[in-house]
Amino acid sequence: MDFFGFGGYQREPEGWGSWQQLLLVTSFVVAMVFFAVFFGMRYRHGEEAKKLFVLKVTAIVLDTIELTRIVILSFRSGNPMQFMYHLPLFLCSFQFITVPIAAFGKGRIREVAADFVFLFGILGSIAGTYGAGQNYSAYPVWSFDNVFSTITHTMSGFAGLFVVISGLLTFKAKNIKWVVITLFAFAVVAYIVNISIDYNYMFLMRGDGTPYDNFYNLVNGNRILYPLTVMFLFVLYMGAVYGVAYAIPSFREQAFAKEVVMEAN
């Protein structure tokens, strides 16, 4: 039962950057890339329904695992309100909402969700595995907390890679504002919850052992400048990804061609 941490873990954390952590997360990341490329290439020129089926299965499994994790953590703590500290309000956990929307949604809503899954699924998977200093400093590598977290983060990364490789990604210019609005809507909710329960969703309050600590220290922990800096980094990242995508002629032509066809219809 020590794997689940009931009564506290008896083993000392191996620590962030340990060979144990690198072995665990690299194994899952390699599997993530392999299956995303395999299924993405297999269905790239197939029917959209088949592509969406893969995404639907991913969404169902991803959310089932995450809900199981929340239930176990809440039960382990003995506090039924513990779930408030496990809401999908981290950048990497938004995928528990956006992957199902991308899989089961329709029209522009699905397009925006798919863009969001690509933009933050891959980024979140790397940040939540290799960059999860706060987790690997607090819990043993082979533990419920870290193993389940690694699984959900790499599944989110799989969804992001699959969306672009399979051709489900459109990256339409007219959808960019809706992606940004979605991001800021999540941030507003996360900030309100942070203040309400004294937590740190989206790392909007402090760095907590992540690379965000650098920016937190840069502004001396200013409660206004720091969250604004975090949001600026998100937007800067999005701008860079869109810029690279639109710099590829074939991708740009395909994206805008789809937009013109949509308008014509």
Side-chain angles (χ1 to χ4, degrees):
M1 293 296 290
D2 187 53
F3 174 80
F4 291 95
F6 287 97
Y9 289 108
Q10 303 303 310
R11 294 163 292 141
E12 290 293 324
E14 292 84 352
W16 179 72
S18 65
W19 69 265
Q20 292 94 334
Q21 182 226 352
L22 295 177
L23 177 62
L24 176 70
V25 301
T26 300
S27 299
F28 277 93
V29 168
V30 168
M32 171 190 86
V33 174
F34 172 79
F35 285 112
V37 172
F38 175 78
F39 286 109
M41 294 303 296
R42 181 177 182 179
Y43 296 114
R44 181 170 180 82
H45 301 293
E47 298 176 1
E48 188 174 81
K50 294 181 178 180
K51 302 175 186 180
L52 291 176
F53 176 77
V54 174
L55 208 57
K56 288 175 181 178
V57 172
T58 303
I60 292 171
V61 175
L62 176 63
D63 281 19
T64 298
I65 293 175
E66 181 59 15
L67 286 172
T68 301
R69 188 180 76 91
I70 293 173
V71 169
I72 291 177
L73 289 177
S74 298
F75 181 77
R76 188 178 73 181
S77 69
N79 179 8
M81 294 303 294
Q82 182 70 18
F83 77 91
M84 289 293 295
Y85 298 92
H86 302 289
L87 298 174
L89 291 175
F90 281 111
L91 184 65
C92 47
S93 59
F94 293 160
Q95 310 311 317
F96 306 140
I97 298 174
T98 54
V99 172
I101 294 176
F104 295 96
K106 302 291 184 181
R108 178 171 293 184
I109 293 178
R110 186 175 74 189
E111 292 174 354
V112 172
D115 289 359
F116 207 96
V117 168
F118 170 70
L119 281 164
F120 296 107
I122 301 172
L123 175 66
S125 70
I126 299 302
T129 52
Y130 289 105
Q134 74 282 10
N135 282 354
Y136 288 98
S137 297
Y139 313 113
V141 169
W142 186 252
S143 65
F144 173 79
D145 293 79
N146 282 325
V147 172
F148 268 55
S149 176
T150 300
I151 291 173
T152 55
H153 280 88
T154 49
M155 286 192 69
S156 297
F158 164 82
L161 282 173
F162 177 77
V163 161
V164 66
I165 295 173
S166 67
L168 285 174
L169 184 72
T170 63
F171 254 24
K172 294 180 180 177
K174 67 178 182 180
N175 287 340
I176 294 178
K177 65 179 180 181
W178 295 110
V179 177
V180 175
I181 289 172
T182 301
L183 174 64
F184 275 84
F186 275 123
V188 170
V189 173
Y191 194 79
I192 292 173
V193 174
N194 284 340
I195 295 175
S196 301
I197 65 173
D198 188 24
Y199 202 52
N200 194 25
Y201 284 120
M202 286 185 72
F203 297 100
L204 291 174
M205 313 306 285
R206 52 194 177 274
D208 278 353
T210 68
Y212 291 116
D213 275 333
N214 297 317
F215 301 98
Y216 184 84
N217 295 331
L218 184 66
V219 298
N220 296 317
N222 187 285
R223 292 178 66 86
I224 297 177
L225 290 179
Y226 172 68
L228 288 177
T229 301
V230 172
M231 294 307 299
F232 174 75
L233 291 172
F234 293 157
V235 173
L236 190 65
Y237 161 76
M238 291 171 60
V241 175
Y242 276 106
V244 170
Y246 289 146
I248 302 174
S250 59
F251 190 96
R252 183 176 63 249
E253 290 170 5
Q254 180 184 20
F256 282 94
K258 290 182 179 180
E259 186 170 351
V260 170
V261 170
M262 180 69 72
E263 292 293 342
N265 292 337

